[in-house]
Amino acid sequence: MSNSTVVVGAGIAGVACARALTAAGVPVRVLDRGRRPGGRMASRTLSGRVTDLGASYLTAADDSPFTAVVADWVSRGLARPWTDTFAVAGPDGVERTTSGPVRYAAPGGLRSLVADLAEGLDVVQERAVSRVEAGPRVDGEDVPAVVLALPDPQARRLLPDDLADRLLGEREWQPSLAVALGWDERRWPADLHGAFVHDDPVLEWVADDGDRRGDGAPVLVAHTTGDTAAAHLADPDAAAPAVAAAVRRVLGIDAAPAWTHVHRWTFARPADPREEPFGRVDGIGACGDGWRAPSKVESAWTSGHLLGTALGAEQSR
Ligand SMILES: Cc1cc2nc3c(=O)[nH]c(=O)nc-3n(C[C@H](O)[C@H](O)[C@H](O)COP(=O)(O)OP(=O)(O)OC[C@H]3O[C@@H](n4cnc5c(N)ncnc54)[C@H](O)[C@@H]3O)c2cc1C
C-alpha cells in the first residue's frame, strides 16, 4: 500500500487540494494525464507567444482565502489586475460596456499560475488514471484516500457505476470551442478588453489576449456557444471560418485573421454546479468547479482547498 493520498487531476482544484494536504503534513501525490499542470487554465504557444485558450481570467472575492493567493501572484508579477470593464456586443455590433469585479490575468498565461501553485508538490504528469474503486484503490493500488479533481464526466469514467452515482449523480456538462485569431496589426478599439456577446448563434465571448497578457499582440480569443461546439466536436477545426466571420461581424473588423487555432473543450463547464463545496463517499473525494457554484477558477480553488483541509485535519490526527 502506498502511504500517499492520491489526487487525480492537476488543474487548480487538484493542486489546491494537494497543497492543503501538504500543509497538514499529509503525504500526497498528484497524477495528471496532461503534459503540464493547469487543466482548463490552459495556455499554449501560438505564433511565437503564449495564448490563453481555457479560462479567460480569474476573480477573487474580498472575503475569500483565494484573495491572498492572488495577491501573492500579483506581488511576484505572475498575475496582474486586467480590467473591471468589458464591452457587451449584440448581433449588430458593440452596444455598451459593463463593469464588474477586477479580473486578473497572467503575463505568462493562466497555466503559469497553476504551475506556480504546484511548485514543490509531487506531481506526475502524463499519467492517466483509469480505475478508482472502493478501498480506496487507484489503478489496483491501495491508498489512504483519493481525490477526483476532474469534471464529472471524466471522474465518472474512472468509477464503478454505483460509486459514481453516489458520489456524483448524473450531471450534464457543456462543451465550448476556444478559437485564437491572429492579425498582422490590432484592428479593434484599444479599450475593448473583452466582449460578452449576446444573442449570437456562434459566439459567447471574445477576449483581447494581447491586452490581458500585457504584450499588446494583435490576438483575440473567441469562445463559442455550446451549440456551435456540440456541432463541431468531431472536427473542431472546421468551426474556424464561421467563428472568424462572427468575430469580424460583431467587432467590425475589416480584414480576415492571418491565422486561427481551435481548441476543443468537450467538458467546459457544468450546466448546473452544486452549492456543496465538495463530495465524499467511501474514502473517495470529489472537488473542482462542479462544486461550490458558480463554476469558475475561484470556486475550483476553494473546492480543492476545503476538501484538502478537511482530509488533512482527519489524516494528521
Ligand atoms: C473555454 C473556457 C472558458 C472559461 N472561462 C473562465 C473565466 O473566464 N473565468 C473563470 O474563473 N473560469 C473560467 N473557466 C472555468 C475554469 O477554467 C475552471 O473552473 C477551472 O479551471 C476548473 O479547474 P479544475 O481543477 O476543477 O478542473 P480542470 O482544470 O479541468 O482539471 C482537471 C485535470 O484533470 C486531468 N485529468 C482528466 N482525466 C484524467 C485522468 N483519467 N487521469 C489523470 N488526470 C486526468 C486533466 O488533465 C486536468 O488537468 C473557463 C473554462 C473554459 C473551458
Side-chain angles (χ1 to χ4, degrees):
M1 170 165 168
S2 162
N3 70 343
S4 288
T5 287
V6 169
V7 174
V8 185
I12 193 156
V15 170
C17 184
R19 276 196 85 105
L21 283 161
T22 301
V26 175
V28 57
R29 170 166 281 194
V30 185
L31 307 177
D32 190 278
R33 70 178 183 183
R35 278 192 294 142
R36 287 178 293 165
R40 279 170 283 154
M41 291 171 71
S43 317
R44 178 169 176 162
T45 300
L46 298 173
S47 198
R49 67 182 280 285
V50 171
T51 304
D52 276 312
L53 292 175
S56 284
Y57 52 77
L58 54 87
T59 53
D62 290 343
D63 57 352
S64 161
F66 189 48
T67 305
V69 178
V70 175
D72 175 55
W73 284 330
V74 171
S75 73
R76 290 187 288 132
L78 295 177
R80 62 193 288 265
W82 174 24
T83 183
D84 63 359
T85 304
F86 291 128
V88 178
D92 300 322
V94 176
E95 292 165 347
R96 59 190 169 87
T97 59
T98 181
S99 291
V102 173
R103 278 73 163 203
Y104 294 87
L110 289 177
R111 186 196 297 281
S112 68
L113 303 180
V114 186
D116 179 68
L117 216 54
E119 200 71 35
L121 296 176
D122 178 6
V123 182
V124 183
Q125 297 292 155
E126 302 190 85
R127 169 72 163 80
V129 170
S130 50
R131 193 76 180 155
V132 172
E133 298 160 281
R137 292 165 71 81
V138 175
D139 287 341
E141 185 180 20
D142 290 317
V143 295
V146 58
V147 169
L148 304 178
L150 315 165
D152 285 33
Q154 292 175 338
R156 281 196 74 93
R157 286 180 195 149
L158 309 184
L159 296 166
D161 286 348
D162 64 318
L163 204 46
D165 289 344
R166 283 192 293 138
L167 181 63
L168 303 168
E170 275 287 358
R171 283 177 180 255
E172 192 189 324
W173 280 57
Q174 294 167 340
S176 182
L177 300 179
V179 183
L181 310 103
W183 277 265
D184 52 349
E185 59 181 346
R186 297 171 68 82
R187 293 171 180 270
W188 50 90
D191 61 353
L192 178 76
H193 308 307
F196 298 110
V197 185
H198 292 176
D199 303 322
D200 191 276
V202 178
L203 296 181
E204 270 187 356
W205 159 254
V206 182
D208 183 335
D209 196 66
D211 182 58
R212 73 178 158 198
R213 298 245 343 284
D215 67 356
V219 177
L220 298 175
V221 178
H223 293 170
T224 71
T225 59
D227 285 349
T228 293
H232 290 89
L233 286 181
D235 183 11
D237 288 343
V243 174
V247 168
R248 290 181 59 190
R249 169 173 43 76
V250 165
L251 298 184
I253 296 173
D254 59 3
W259 57 267
T260 59
H261 174 87
V262 184
H263 187 96
R264 171 183 55 200
W265 294 107
T266 305
F267 306 115
R269 61 184 66 88
D272 185 20
R274 309 161 180 87
E275 295 298 328
E276 307 95 285
F278 52 76
R280 291 184 68 184
V281 166
D282 294 350
I284 302 172
C287 64
D289 67 338
W291 304 85
R292 188 83 187 183
S295 152
K296 55 181 183 172
V297 167
E298 181 178 0
S299 310
W301 180 90
T302 306
S303 171
H305 175 73
L306 291 176
L307 178 53
T309 303
L311 285 174
E314 287 169 18
Q315 292 189 44
S316 59
R317 261 184 217 139

